[in-house]
Amino acid sequence: MTEWWHTKQWRLIQTNLREIDMLDIDAQRVVSDLQAFKANVLMLNAAGIIASYTTQLPFQFQSPFLQGDSLQDIVEACHAADIRVIARTDFSKVRRPIYEQHPDWAYRTASGEIVDYNGDIHVCINGPYQQGYMPLIMEELFNTVDFDGIFFNMGGYQTRDYSGNYHGICHCRHCQVAFAEMYGMALPAAEDVADPVFRTYLEFKRCTLTEHHDKIFRYITDRWPEMCIANHTDFRFGFIRQESNTAIDRPLPPWQYSASDNTKWAVGSFPEMVSSNTTVDFIDFPYRHVAVSPHQQSLRLAENLANGGAADYYLIGRLDNHEDRSGYDAVKDLFHYHAANEGTYVDMTSKAEVMLLKAGVNQNEYRGWFRTLVENHVFFDVVREDAALDVSWDRYTTVIVPGIDVMTDAMAERLDTFAEYGGTLIVTGQSGFRDENFTLREMPALQSLGIEDVLLVRDDMRSAYLKFEDKAGFARFDDTDLVYVDGPYVYAHYDEETEEHMQLIPPHNFGPPERCYYDLVVDHPGFVVHPYGAGWAIYVPWMPGTLFHRQGHVNTAWFCADLLEGIAGVAVAGGNLSPMVEATLAEKNDGSYQLLSLVNACGHFGNSFYAPVTMTDVVVEVPLSEQPSSVVGLRSEQALPHEWADGTLTVHVPLLALFEAIKITVSESTVIKSAGAQGAA
Ligand SMILES: [Zn+2]
């Protein structure tokens, strides 16, 4: 791949410029500030709501603050320093004077109101502005300034403003007409998946978004084939830009694997694209001028690198006038490390044999399994459900489906085929119970689970347990006889080939103490095992991931870990790694070395992020088919003590601060390939 974004390992800084930042911006200062970080990609504000260059277009608001160096000056200075520049655009709103000339471009609430946020009026994706005028702005921008890429802020259907106020789905004339033409009905009043009209609207959104993406993508690539485009995943081209951020009102707990998660799914689902997950400097939109902990920022960057992503930092304003510079040293440290070692990170592929499927539903179930995998040191990839049919599953022996209620027939068929050809499926909750439009199916879509009939999905399970009949495979439960259950439980009939494990204790009395005992144990399982073709499925008719993500009790973590190791036979990295250390393993595509990354997340304490405590005498074991010629810690810049015997490499890491990246060089590509099951093509 010869596009510019594949010829450099990028370190991006986004200076999200306020309009006043253009008053005295100095191109040479921009470059020297970026060089201090060793950044090699810059993203800054260019067009859309406000033109940060001189525009001739009557439908684009001219910034009145262009008294410093011009965007073209900045881009030229960056190019002279081998720094690429990406234009940040935002076509989701127009300034009030533009709206007054084109009131039909605006988003409208169900009652016909517009959203005017500080003089910016929300516009609709189906209106003439985004459909017709947006390409004209891009044309003028790229003919005026030599940008290398483009990012679209807040593209698609937006229902909230910057204060988080919810305004509902758009009811503008263009939406009404398009929806009526496609489906012959009026728009739904509200977002309610119980309403079949709303479920049709979801399809409407998918179709119109795909069409719009297609139009914009072709418009750009036809004219500027070297332009790196953000987030057009349908085309597997350009880069995926995401954020690891915080928000004041976001429900707890904090997601400490945010950067690993974002990077894993981008790399696992769209390996042709650059994964650029940014560490957002600020606390939330209302507090853009104060930074989160520097340790949170460096943890995010370490997670990005360990999972095959780029380094990316995003702040409000400019580097030279930012009022909270507390994150600079932490970000520089990681950026400088990456610059010194970037060659090692090129052309790598994950060696994970486990895939965790990701979808837009039941994020908590997904996150609970994500934690289980990380904290038990299973090497795993994440693949987004809507991309899973387009990537190879050949290296996976196990696929985890975490409560993915909504599933297409094609996806269900792919999962069943995977099991049929020898793979192991682990499936939880109501996965596949609904189709892609949220319509409840008569029977769950997955044949491999052994479900003959769903009797009931019961929500009032508080104070229920599961009791072991035997503890084979459950090594963590020597001193514990019960697993606690909360959230929905699926009562089902299974076919006769299905092995049912554990027994359900239905909700029981829990007060007063004299009454706290159960006297009923029923024949409904905690999990089932069903053979399917050459493989099998393990089905868990409840949601342990959700429970673990929210409550974090080891009772749930142990259940999930033993299910993986003791029942499914999933391999874990050996040694003495703490659950607070994330481990990843990747291999150079020519087989010449492997990279074992360790990220120490123990600085995540309650809801704060402190410097991680340095761990000592860390030992980690990974499979390796032959004696390596060298084992070197890239972070510590030291050869690491190691032993090799019987296909296992044992590495000793004397000191583990935030992270280590262990380069394991072998003389040729003779690394053990899994003898396990392989999915069908
Ligand atoms: Zn609309």
Side-chain angles (χ1 to χ4, degrees), residues 303-512:
E303 289 180 355
N304 281 0
L305 298 184
N307 287 288
D312 188 324
Y313 173 49
Y314 154 33
L315 73 164
I316 192 75
R318 303 192 312 238
L319 285 163
D320 65 313
N321 64 10
H322 194 48
E323 290 182 276
D324 185 344
R325 298 165 300 283
S326 60
Y328 284 15
D329 284 348
V331 173
K332 277 181 187 165
D333 180 31
L334 270 288
F335 273 48
H336 283 231
Y337 161 80
H338 186 243
N341 294 283
E342 61 178 19
T344 308
Y345 287 86
V346 182
D347 296 332
M348 303 295 289
T349 302
S350 161
K351 283 189 66 66
E353 294 177 2
V354 173
M355 180 215 288
L356 176 63
L357 206 56
K358 183 182 177 84
V361 293
N362 285 327
Q363 280 300 291
N364 291 345
E365 181 68 10
Y366 164 81
R367 287 181 178 185
W369 283 97
F370 194 105
R371 278 194 64 188
T372 298
L373 293 164
V374 170
E375 292 165 19
N376 289 284
H377 311 116
V378 176
F379 298 124
F380 72 106
D381 294 340
V382 172
V383 177
R384 224 169 66 177
E385 179 266 345
D386 61 343
L389 299 179
D390 302 320
V391 298
S392 167
W393 294 23
D394 286 354
R395 69 169 173 272
Y396 303 120
T397 60
T398 305
V399 173
I400 301 174
V401 184
I404 300 180
D405 303 13
V406 178
M407 191 180 286
T408 61
D409 288 345
M411 188 69 230
E413 220 175 287
R414 184 69 188 86
L415 289 163
D416 281 339
T417 305
F418 174 76
E420 196 181 339
Y421 282 81
T424 301
L425 282 183
I426 301 175
V427 178
T428 71
Q430 298 169 61
S431 293
F433 282 29
R434 292 175 183 274
D435 70 13
E436 64 268 36
N437 292 324
F438 290 83
T439 303
L440 196 64
R441 296 171 184 273
E442 281 184 18
M443 279 292 292
L446 290 166
Q447 305 292 311
S448 52
L449 307 185
I451 295 176
E452 276 192 332
D453 194 13
V454 173
L455 307 173
L456 176 73
V457 179
R458 179 173 171 187
D459 290 320
D460 60 329
M461 293 300 285
R462 184 145 300 170
S463 80
Y465 297 95
L466 294 163
K467 192 176 179 68
F468 286 99
E469 297 163 284
D470 78 84
K471 293 184 182 175
F474 283 83
R476 290 166 174 85
F477 283 85
D478 280 354
D479 298 322
T480 306
D481 302 327
L482 299 174
V483 169
Y484 88 105
V485 174
D486 196 39
Y489 177 90
V490 176
Y491 288 80
H493 270 318
Y494 302 93
D495 71 23
E496 57 188 24
E497 284 190 300
T498 309
E499 281 176 30
E500 301 187 24
H501 294 266
M502 308 177 80
Q503 282 183 305
L504 181 69
I505 300 169
H508 77 297
N509 298 320
F510 51 88

Side-chain angles (χ1 to χ4, degrees), residues 106-108 124-126 170-172 174-175:
Y107 157 99
R108 299 274 168 183
C124 177
I125 182 175
N126 294 317
C170 182
H171 281 70
C172 79
H174 309 289
C175 283

